[in-house]
Amino acid sequence: MKETSNSIWTKPFLMAVSNNFFVFLVFYSLLTILPVYVINALQGSEAQAGLVTTVFLISAIIVRPFSGKIIDMIGKKKTLVISVFFFGVSSFFYFMISDFQLLLGLRFFHGIWFSIASTVLVSIAADMIPGHRKGEGLGYFAMSMNLAVVAGPFLSLALIQFIPYSALFLLFAGMMVISFILTFGIQTAEVPAAVTKAVKRLTMKDLFEVRAMPIAFVGFLTAFAYSGIMSFISVYAKSVGLFESVSFFFVVFAAAMLLSRPYTGRLFDQKGPDSVIYPSLFIFAAGLILLSITHSTVILLFAGALIGLGYGALLPSYQTMSIQSAPRERTSHSTATFFIFYDLGIAVGSVLLGLISAGLGFTSLYLISSGVVLLTIFIYKLVSKQSSRTQSQNVEVLEQ
């Protein structure tokens, strides 16, 4: 499928956005509710509750390098249909499993299909967007994930007060049925057969896109800092007596992201990535510093707004740069490479920042996270010089 107009909001793009929303809604819902399920329903320990997330991330990280090769071998459309199907089937089996060991096996299996589905969806969406509007278009696409970050935990924690776990898991499976149906309405741009068959042996080129690694490393550092929000904000809020306000933190976080997204996406396309990334990193760091000294709901929510405004513009900007760093036929590999580093940042950050919080406290955790973001500014400066030369060449290719 070639880009034949300047429109972003085509019917296939809307279906891709909706599909991505359902995948990430189920992902974040399970991420929130499964630790509670392990402790309350399976009578497991807190360590076991943490394992259900760790095992999922491990399988996703292991499979991610192979995602690009898988997509090349069987095509984007088939990869999308198959991965969303098995992601949905996995969601259904939570209803049937009441043994912790089997649950871990299911989480590992589920992580495989999440890794592939999330990679191919970004790759497909990038192909649908006109080259000169990549930043804006991918920003809109990322909004589906941003909405799921808030809607998933809110939905699961709200519903579990009124319905049993089995009904909640069935609801997630039902969402994936809708997602699976939507895959058939998504058009894809396939890699020509000659390109697909050119490499028969598995090589490093099949696993990684080297040209995307510099900006992917910047993504790693940003994800490392953000993992402190994902993993510890609720515990931190409880420790300072603000647990009742933490749900509003995510609402403000999402609102700041969504309200700024159209502007930052257009700014990226018109003025270049530096015009978005530098101020966003500074704002993200400021939000983390403010979070470290939070003692009232007002400060907590203001920190949420700054973090949403700063971090919210970074992920789609990095994704756009990673895609623009390589030719169009390498879109899936660039996307996979970026997510490998991003997933590792979340995983490594959750462990190391957890140790920091245990030894030094949450104030130090968020101050150190802000320091990582400030360091990222200097790393990005080095990356930006190299990326600007490559991107200017590939944007022209993406337009063709």
Side-chain angles (χ1 to χ4, degrees), residues 19-94:
N19 205 307
N20 198 57
F21 173 74
F22 281 117
V23 168
F24 276 93
L25 180 69
V26 172
F27 166 68
Y28 282 113
S29 295
L30 289 172
L31 196 69
T32 302
I33 204 63
L34 279 178
V36 181
Y37 173 70
V38 168
I39 293 173
N40 293 342
L42 301 185
Q43 304 300 310
S45 65
E46 292 184 0
Q48 288 177 318
L51 271 178
V52 297
T53 298
T54 303
V55 166
F56 185 97
L57 288 175
I58 287 173
S59 67
I61 291 170
I62 290 173
V63 173
R64 192 77 77 177
F66 301 95
S67 298
K69 182 64 174 177
I70 292 170
I71 294 168
D72 281 353
M73 289 175 61
I74 66 177
K76 294 177 182 177
K77 181 61 175 281
K78 288 183 180 178
T79 303
L80 176 65
V81 172
I82 293 170
S83 60
V84 171
F85 174 78
F86 281 109
F87 185 86
V89 169
S90 302
S91 303
F92 178 80
F93 276 109
Y94 288 99

Side-chain angles (χ1 to χ4, degrees), residues 128-145:
M128 295 177 180
I129 302 166
H132 66 285
R133 300 186 70 184
K134 279 285 188 278
E136 183 182 1
L138 285 174
Y140 287 132
F141 183 78
M143 284 172 62
S144 59
M145 182 175 67

Side-chain angles (χ1 to χ4, degrees), residues 91-157:
S91 303
F92 178 80
F93 276 109
Y94 288 99
F95 167 73
M96 310 167 80
I97 288 181
S98 58
D99 177 79
F100 179 72
Q101 299 301 325
L102 289 177
L103 179 61
L104 287 184
L106 176 59
R107 289 297 282 168
F108 189 90
F109 183 75
H110 206 177
I112 292 172
W113 300 108
F114 172 77
S115 179
I116 298 173
S118 57
T119 300
V120 73
L121 276 165
V122 174
S123 179
I124 288 172
D127 290 341
M128 295 177 180
I129 302 166
H132 66 285
R133 300 186 70 184
K134 279 285 188 278
E136 183 182 1
L138 285 174
Y140 287 132
F141 183 78
M143 284 172 62
S144 59
M145 182 175 67
N146 300 146
L147 286 171
V149 168
V150 178
F154 179 82
L155 180 70
S156 58
L157 291 175

Side-chain angles (χ1 to χ4, degrees), residues 242 245 249 252 290 294-305:
L242 298 174
S245 303
F249 172 92
V252 173
L290 190 62
T294 291
H295 56 77
S296 70
T297 298
V298 173
I299 295 178
L300 178 69
L301 298 184
F302 187 46

